[in-house]
Amino acid sequence: MALTPFTVDGQPVNIDSDPQMPLLYALRDDLKLNNPKFGCGLAQCGACTVHVAGVAARACVIPAAQVQGRAITTLEGLGDRLRPHVVQQAFIAAQAAQCGYCLNGMIMTTAALLAHKPQPQPQEVRDALSGNLCRCGTHIEILAAVQAAVDALAAQHAKTGAFE
């Protein structure tokens, strides 16, 4: 067992665990965060996606010790009910969910993409989301939600001169 300090959604935490334990287990079991989901355990479905220092990463294959001293953002930390992130708001408005299991990965991947490239081409969006599996058939709504987030960011940029 080892003590691993890091930050989750802006809050400092210390996890006392096997250093090789997946970050996903620390988030779900130790910190009781519900949105990163266990899907495949092999970094192939995207359900466990979080941001590690602003980059989308699969928490099911990252050892907890590897995030020592780093900033982790989960869906809970991206936005909240009173002030949702632009991507969360777009997914809500587009009703881009059926079962909701893939949403964590879809939203976290989209948010990371737009943080680095606020005006992606449609193929870049499809490429970024291609590693997130959804079996419910809401792909059209998901793509519409991403486009709505892109449009909202563009409108924000036109108004303020900066992408947030």
Side-chain angles (χ1 to χ4, degrees):
M1 301 298 265
L3 194 61
T4 305
F6 56 101
T7 303
V8 177
D9 300 335
Q11 301 297 314
V13 298
N14 287 298
I15 302 298
D16 189 15
S17 67
D18 177 340
Q20 294 306 308
M21 178 182 75
L23 173 61
L24 177 63
Y25 297 172
L27 296 172
R28 289 189 61 81
D29 299 340
D30 295 336
L31 300 175
K32 308 300 184 213
L33 297 172
N34 295 323
N35 278 309
K37 306 289 187 211
F38 181 88
C40 66
L42 301 170
Q44 294 179 355
C45 72
C48 66
T49 303
V50 297
H51 294 173
V52 178
V55 176
R58 306 296 170 91
C60 70
V61 295
I62 299 172
Q66 192 173 329
V67 300
Q68 183 169 336
R70 302 189 79 188
I72 308 302
T73 304
T74 69
L75 188 62
E76 288 95 336
L78 200 58
D80 60 34
R81 289 179 188 217
L82 297 178
R83 189 178 156 114
H85 185 276
V86 65
V87 175
Q88 291 171 314
Q89 184 58 50
F91 272 70
I92 292 166
Q95 297 182 11
Q98 281 188 22
C99 83
Y101 208 81
C102 73
L103 281 184
N104 179 78
M106 295 290 189
I107 291 171
M108 295 304 287
T109 300
T110 299
L113 171 66
L114 298 185
H116 297 290
K117 185 159 190 160
Q119 298 292 304
Q121 295 298 312
Q123 188 60 49
E124 292 172 308
V125 171
R126 287 190 292 278
D127 290 346
L129 294 177
S130 68
N132 292 277
L133 302 181
C134 173
R135 299 291 183 227
C136 293
T138 59
H139 297 92
I140 300 300
E141 291 85 357
I142 289 168
L143 292 174
V146 174
Q147 187 58 54
V150 168
D151 294 345
L153 285 172
Q156 184 179 67
H157 180 261
K159 187 182 244 184
T160 66
F163 289 105
E164 289 183 17

